Amino acid sequence: QVQLVESGGGLVQPGGSLRLSCAASGFPFRLYAMSWYRQAPGKEREMVARVAASGWYVDSVKGRFTGSRDNVKNMVYLQMNNLKPEDTAVYYCQVHWQERDYWGQGTQVTVSS
């Protein structure tokens, strides 16, 4: 079955960086786009980066977040730089496969001094 396992979250000071990882299995990873979403308390889940199967990515947090992937290791990454308190959220990786969305359990990112 599809499994997505995020890691790499934690507490970081404003201006700091974190790299999130997502280990994927149970589907043909190299053929599918992967996305990163986040959900802050009281807010809707929003997409922050999408990495195409080819590795080309788009991000909605311009200039600060970068998505990437390793199709050999079945891993997708989110590099987050210059973090701000408003980036505090649970971060999820996601894949749409066989007409449904799959999500990991999420990893908490807290940006605070």
Side-chain angles (χ1 to χ4, degrees):
Q1 70 276 23
V2 174
Q3 283 195 317
L4 301 172
V5 180
E6 302 94 339
S7 62
L11 174 64
V12 62
Q13 292 186 343
S17 297
L18 278 177
R19 188 195 195 205
L20 305 184
S21 301
C22 174
S25 62
F27 65 100
F29 176 83
R30 64 183 179 87
L31 300 179
Y32 286 85
M34 299 293 297
S35 298
W36 284 98
Y37 284 76
R38 69 183 179 187
Q39 188 166 21
K43 295 189 177 181
E44 292 189 357
R45 194 170 294 190
E46 63 174 350
M47 190 179 76
V48 296
R50 178 176 171 84
V51 187
S54 63
W56 183 79
Y57 75 94
V58 293
D59 64 86
S60 64
V61 188
K62 296 295 184 182
R64 296 196 297 121
F65 289 11
T66 303
S68 63
R69 64 192 294 157
D70 184 328
N71 284 344
V72 174
K73 296 181 178 179
N74 283 14
M75 298 287 294
V76 61
Y77 305 100
L78 183 67
Q79 178 67 43
M80 306 186 293
N81 297 325
N82 190 23
L83 283 160
K84 303 177 180 181
E86 53 264 40
D87 296 319
T88 295
V90 179
Y91 285 73
Y92 301 89
C93 62
Q94 177 264 355
V95 64
H96 186 81
W97 183 62
Q98 293 192 335
E99 301 182 356
R100 65 164 286 186
D101 290 329
Y102 292 88
W103 302 87
Q105 83 288 350
T107 186
Q108 175 71 45
V109 172
T110 302
V111 185
S112 175
S113 55

